[in-house]
Amino acid sequence: MTSWQGVLLMEGTPPNVIVFGTGAVTIAQMAHGGIVLNIIGIVLITLFCYMIGGFAIVRCHTIAIG
């Protein structure tokens, strides 16, 4: 599992470049939005791995006991 940090950068994705190029948002606004999205992504990926990891450990333990 990974988290792509490109949403934080103004040149990270083509839509970001278009929006930044129009002057509709500032670098600070884009960075704030990117940081929020990154934090949400980190939390979701961590929870997902915790859930899957717990399932895998219980499953392996059950098979080993058998």
Side-chain angles (χ1 to χ4, degrees):
M1 299 290 152
T2 64
S3 176
W4 182 56
Q5 307 298 319
V7 295
L8 180 64
L9 305 172
M10 67 180 151
E11 69 277 353
T13 63
N16 286 359
V17 174
I18 293 169
V19 171
F20 181 73
T22 64
V25 295
T26 64
I27 293 175
Q29 290 171 322
M30 292 186 77
H32 180 266
I35 289 170
V36 171
L37 288 174
N38 283 332
I39 291 170
I40 291 169
I42 290 167
V43 169
L44 290 176
I45 289 171
T46 302
L47 289 174
F48 179 75
C49 289
Y50 179 75
M51 289 171 32
I52 296 300
F55 173 75
I57 290 170
V58 170
R59 177 87 171 136
C60 290
H61 181 66
T62 304
I63 292 171
I65 291 174

